[in-house]
Amino acid sequence: MRKKIAAGNWKMNLTAAEAWSLAGGVLEAFEGNTKENAQVIFAPSYPYLSKVVELAASNDRVFVAGQNLHQEESGAYTGEISAAMLTSIGVTHVIIGHSERRQYFGETNAILAAKINRALAHGLVPIYCIGETLEERESGKTMEVNSTQLSEGAFHLDAENFSKLIIAYEPVWAIGTGKTASPAQAQEVHATIRSLISGKYGDGVADQISLLYGGSVKAANAAELFSQEDIDGGLVGGASMNAAEFAGIIAAL
């Protein structure tokens, strides 16, 4: 049974007090959730990781992710964070290839492939993000872009290691814009992604990979999105920073 996941990416937001309050509120709301395959992942800013790991320890279905990591083991990379640093404080997951990292920091598929390798070498679960821009969608390149990002970033892995990934489809045009792909549009891309995985690794691997949708997910649309056959949850931005709103999304898993 595939894991149903609500992952909250806090990006560069919140003070320490706000972060603790948010995590506490979400944990309290999730306490009564009895769905064994439901998971919550917090992705706070780096200064908050240790404390959120401590808070998340109260529930064995709640995990903490880094928002990024460097592809090298260690070295003179001021301001960066390594896989070993993340695991040393109890972080279990890491977001790799978010569209903002691709757009603002020039991260290529080759760099992201190296980051995935580094994460896996340290036992971290990569949440690998793929997705097209509005221009690419309007020019009919949605499937081409997602196929390229998936294959160049992750298809170098053997089946055992690829099976450890979580894939997040995030249409760039729907991030923070209030626009959301319709459930049918999102399902179409998710189904294609699962088909690509099946073609590379077989149905056994494809059927167990959790595919998340990341594009203006909120409590009001989560149930309809998550009811689609190939959508296993969401990588949530803004709505994950409101405890009640995120609790509504988790309830839709």
Side-chain angles (χ1 to χ4, degrees):
M1 182 182 294
R2 294 199 298 268
K3 298 297 183 184
K4 300 295 185 178
I5 300 168
N9 179 13
W10 300 352
K11 306 188 181 184
M12 195 178 72
N13 294 293
L14 306 177
T15 64
E18 290 168 342
W20 315 154
S21 177
L22 173 59
V26 172
L27 285 164
E28 183 177 357
F30 188 52
E31 194 63 38
N33 188 303
T34 59
K35 299 174 184 175
E36 291 185 4
N37 65 327
Q39 294 184 348
V40 170
I41 302 173
F42 293 123
S45 299
Y46 297 140
Y48 309 149
L49 284 169
S50 291
K51 180 64 175 180
V52 176
V53 166
E54 180 183 325
L55 294 171
S58 64
N59 191 314
D60 62 6
R61 291 180 295 142
V62 178
F63 304 90
V64 180
Q67 293 181 15
N68 183 37
L69 86 170
H70 198 276
Q71 64 269 29
E72 297 296 337
E73 185 69 19
S74 61
Y77 303 103
T78 300
E80 291 290 339
I81 191 166
S82 73
M85 292 174 184
L86 293 175
T87 58
S88 70
I89 59 170
V91 171
T92 55
H93 294 60
V94 62
I95 298 172
I96 295 175
H98 193 281
S99 62
E100 291 156 2
R101 298 296 310 180
R102 294 175 184 267
Q103 178 181 356
Y104 303 138
F105 300 97
E107 294 188 356
T108 65
N109 292 328
I111 289 172
L112 300 175
K115 291 190 175 196
I116 288 175
N117 292 345
R118 187 65 62 191
L120 289 170
H122 284 265
L124 288 164
V125 176
I127 303 172
Y128 181 52
C129 303
I130 60 176
E132 80 283 1
T133 64
L134 180 60
E135 181 182 0
E136 289 165 340
R137 170 168 279 273
E138 291 180 340
S139 60
K141 295 181 178 179
T142 294
M143 302 310 181
E144 177 187 341
V145 169
N146 285 284
S147 176
T148 298
Q149 291 179 350
L150 183 63
S151 60
E152 292 185 359
F155 276 3
H156 63 285
L157 299 170
D158 60 23
E160 179 182 358
N161 278 302
F162 187 87
S163 297
K164 299 172 183 175
L165 270 60
I166 297 166
I167 305 297
Y169 165 59
E170 43 161 31
V172 181
W173 50 272
I175 298 174
T177 63
K179 298 180 180 179
T180 308
S182 70
Q185 287 175 318
Q187 166 58 23
E188 180 184 18
V189 179
H190 279 242
T192 299
I193 292 168
R194 204 175 298 282
S195 177
L196 290 169
I197 295 169
S198 177
K200 174 69 175 179
Y201 297 105
D203 289 345
V205 172
D207 290 344
Q208 75 179 51
I209 293 284
S210 293
L211 303 182
L212 310 184
Y213 173 72
S216 296
V217 178
K218 45 190 177 288
N221 62 23
E224 190 174 8
L225 284 165
F226 298 170
S227 69
Q228 302 300 307
E229 182 179 356
D230 292 294
I231 299 178
D232 303 309
L235 176 59
V236 187
S240 73
M241 289 177 279
N242 178 294
E245 183 75 10
F246 196 43
I249 293 170
I250 293 168
L253 291 173

